[in-house]
Amino acid sequence: MMKKILIIEDEFNEVKNAFEYIKAVYFSGNLEIYNVIKSQEIKFNELCDYDVIFLDITLAKKSEMDGYGILKKIENEQINVKKIVIMTGNNQISSVLTKRGVKKTYPILTKPIDFNEIKQMIG
């Protein structure tokens, strides 16, 4: 069965190969991978269509919202999403999320990305 993955990441080229590898090796090509670079490109009403959303917590300055803002919008507007995974290079991110007002707990994928971790997150 085809799974739809959304990667909200401004430096997509840094993670693209890892996701393409996972798609080929572990999912026999049955992954549809989409990338959004800036928060203003996100179609929030379509987030429920994705099996997993990988969200880079620190988006580029050109983005109206960073990952924290996107998470808070999803929580505050109660947007129906199946699963969100936070991507970050900061292993202390959990405490920062709480300080920034994010209510829920999300799985965290630390960079550099590990293939097995991605596979587990997608399921």
Side-chain angles (χ1 to χ4, degrees):
M1 189 174 116
M2 187 69 72
K3 290 193 176 215
K4 283 180 76 172
I5 307 298
L6 177 63
I7 303 170
I8 304 171
E9 164 68 88
D10 58 323
E11 295 174 352
F12 183 60
N13 285 339
E14 286 186 12
V15 299
K16 181 180 178 186
N17 290 340
F19 281 93
E20 290 295 336
Y21 177 82
I22 296 299
K23 174 181 176 176
V25 174
Y26 296 113
F27 291 94
S28 306
N30 289 323
L31 277 185
E32 288 182 46
I33 300 171
Y34 300 89
N35 172 236
V36 170
I37 295 171
K38 296 181 284 215
S39 63
Q40 50 272 40
E41 295 172 358
I42 298 170
K43 295 178 179 145
F44 284 92
N45 60 328
E46 294 177 10
L47 292 182
C48 60
D49 296 342
Y50 296 95
D51 294 292
V52 185
I53 298 167
F54 289 88
L55 173 62
D56 180 35
I57 208 71
T58 53
L59 291 171
K61 292 169 180 55
K62 292 179 185 156
S63 185
E64 289 174 5
M65 284 185 275
D66 62 7
Y68 300 103
I70 293 167
L71 276 177
K72 286 200 277 192
K73 179 178 173 77
I74 289 169
E75 288 183 353
N76 293 338
E77 296 181 15
Q78 298 179 334
I79 297 170
N80 186 19
V81 294
K82 293 178 182 120
K83 183 175 186 179
I84 295 177
V85 175
I86 294 171
M87 291 192 304
T88 180
N90 177 357
N91 60 3
Q92 302 297 314
I93 197 71
S94 298
S95 60
V96 178
L97 288 169
T98 307
K99 287 178 194 160
R100 294 285 297 266
V102 173
K103 298 176 187 91
K104 296 180 184 169
T105 304
Y106 299 93
I108 295 169
L109 185 64
T110 51
K111 298 175 188 175
I113 292 176
D114 176 86
F115 295 137
N116 287 319
E117 280 187 68
I118 297 175
K119 181 183 170 231
Q120 288 170 355
M121 301 284 184
I122 294 173

